[in-house]
């Protein structure tokens, strides 16, 4: 297996990087790995999967998206444009640009068969991006051979599990009150989340009407999982209901 550092720039002008593991023989097939919340592309899991896929003659590209703990900034000023990253200030909808940029880079490198893989929150990002690309009839999807979802999470469900349902709604009301006061960049109370998180990001995950990302509802037996069923390519899904 060979390892190479890969850099690419998203269409909204954010530079990202990752590690491309390639087998010794030439291949046109690659897995793009999207890591989970407050994670990075250097996890042992990525190394293990990269080595195993290389043994099977498939390349493996694990990259740091803008929600990575290794992005090197929480707030970054680029001229007059403010870019916010890191888990505390991440806008999950920007993952569309990150994943699309990674796909474009792999296509430029000659990979024509692409498998999109997500872990934890990365699964949510992959599903959201796939559906948006499909909605826009983006030709990139012609090269996506499969979707791999490792540990898909129910964002609202797992938060209710961790803090309790009553506290969940109390924290949600607190966040909405902070937003009304124009304090959406402030951090939530430390007991509200597993790591520091801004009011704005908290509301993105747990606010009402966020059906674009809150589409995994394991505790709703009547839910039809429309966004997941909208995936046309072969799908591998591993999940556990902690509730």
């Amino acid at each position: 297996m060979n390892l190479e550092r890969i850099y690419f720039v998203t269409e909204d002008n954010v530079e990202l990087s990752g590690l491309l593991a390639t087998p010794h023989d030439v291949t046109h097939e690659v897995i793009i790995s999207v890591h989970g919340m407050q994670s990075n592309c250097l996890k042992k899991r990525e190394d293990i999967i990269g080595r195993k896929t290389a043994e099977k003659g498939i390349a493996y590209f694990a990259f740091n998206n803008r929600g990575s703990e290794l992005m090197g900034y929480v707030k970054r000023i680029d001229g007059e444009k403010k870019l916010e990253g890191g888990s505390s200030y991440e806008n999950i909808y920007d993952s569309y640009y990150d994943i699309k940029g990674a796909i474009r880079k792999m296509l430029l490198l000659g990979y024509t068969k692409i498998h999109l893989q997500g872990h934890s929150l990365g699964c949510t990002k992959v599903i959201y991006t796939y559906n948006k690309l499909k909605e826009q009839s983006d030709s990139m999807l012609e090269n996506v051979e499969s979707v791999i979802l490792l540990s898909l999470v129910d964002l609202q469900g797992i938060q209710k599990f961790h803090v309790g349902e009553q506290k969940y709604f109390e924290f949600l009301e607190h966040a909405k009150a902070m937003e009304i006061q124009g304090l959406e960049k402030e951090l939530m109370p430390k007991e509200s989340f597993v790591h520091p998180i801004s009011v704005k990001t908290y509301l993105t995950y747990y606010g009402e009407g966020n059906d674009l990302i809150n589409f995994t509802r394991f505790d709703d037996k009547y839910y039809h999982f429309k966004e997941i069923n909208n995936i046309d390519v072969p799908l591998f899904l591993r999940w556990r209901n902690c509730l």
Side-chain angles (χ1 to χ4, degrees):
M1 182 183 77
N2 303 307
L3 275 179
E4 181 183 359
R5 174 81 73 177
I6 300 293
Y7 296 89
F8 64 95
V9 178
T10 66
E11 64 184 40
D12 65 335
N13 202 35
V14 176
E15 184 178 67
L16 300 173
S17 64
L19 291 174
L20 176 64
T22 56
H24 294 298
D25 295 329
V26 175
T27 180
H28 297 288
E29 191 167 4
V30 65
I31 295 174
I32 296 177
S33 174
V34 184
H35 64 71
M37 185 185 298
Q38 204 182 28
S39 190
N40 61 76
C41 70
L42 301 178
K43 294 291 186 180
K44 185 177 181 179
R45 174 187 62 253
E46 306 288 6
D47 182 55
I48 293 172
I49 299 177
R51 291 181 183 278
K52 290 296 183 180
T53 55
E55 291 175 5
K56 301 295 183 180
I58 302 173
Y60 188 80
F61 181 53
F63 72 99
N64 287 331
N65 59 65
R66 68 189 74 190
S68 170
E69 61 185 344
L70 299 182
M71 279 297 291
Y73 59 77
V74 173
K75 291 184 178 179
R76 175 176 136 188
I77 305 297
D78 183 10
E80 295 181 355
K81 183 178 181 180
K82 180 183 293 185
L83 301 177
E84 297 173 338
S87 293
S88 299
Y89 289 90
E90 179 183 20
N91 181 350
I92 192 172
Y93 298 116
D94 288 341
S95 62
Y96 165 77
Y97 300 110
D98 299 346
I99 298 173
K100 187 176 180 181
I103 295 174
R104 181 184 292 109
K105 184 65 177 181
M106 292 300 103
L107 291 173
L108 289 173
L109 291 177
Y111 294 98
T112 56
K113 295 182 178 181
I114 293 173
H115 307 272
L116 293 180
Q117 173 188 292
H119 177 259
S120 191
L121 185 64
C123 297
T124 303
K125 295 177 178 181
V126 165
I127 297 169
Y128 168 68
T129 300
Y130 182 97
N131 277 275
K132 187 165 183 177
L133 290 172
K134 185 175 179 180
E135 178 185 327
Q136 297 175 347
S137 300
D138 196 302
S139 61
M140 281 186 177
L141 280 185
E142 296 175 6
N143 297 96
V144 175
E145 296 283 309
S146 72
V147 171
I148 305 164
L149 305 177
L150 305 179
S151 300
L152 176 63
V153 294
D154 177 350
L155 290 174
Q156 293 184 352
I158 201 169
Q159 178 68 356
K160 292 176 184 177
F161 176 80
H162 282 307
V163 302
E165 190 158 349
Q166 180 178 342
K167 281 290 185 182
Y168 166 82
F169 288 110
E170 289 178 4
F171 288 133
L172 188 57
E173 289 303 315
H174 171 82
K176 289 191 288 187
M178 294 283 283
E179 182 184 42
I180 290 172
Q181 298 174 56
L183 301 175
E184 66 273 9
K185 302 301 177 68
E186 298 295 319
L187 296 179
M188 290 287 292
K190 65 179 181 180
E191 63 271 18
S192 68
F193 210 63
V194 294
H195 62 77
I197 187 170
S198 67
V199 168
K200 182 179 180 180
T201 299
Y202 192 90
L203 285 172
T204 302
Y205 292 152
Y206 308 121
E208 292 93 347
N210 293 343
D211 293 341
L212 289 176
I213 60 168
N214 285 315
F215 45 67
T216 308
R217 305 172 190 175
F218 294 138
D219 60 341
D220 183 353
K221 64 180 180 180
Y222 299 108
Y223 189 61
H224 295 294
F225 297 94
K226 179 185 70 175
E227 291 78 8
I228 298 175
N229 287 319
N230 199 38
I231 296 173
D232 296 326
V233 295
L235 169 68
F236 174 82
L237 169 60
R238 185 191 76 173
W239 63 278
R240 177 187 175 194
N241 188 347
C242 67
L243 305 178

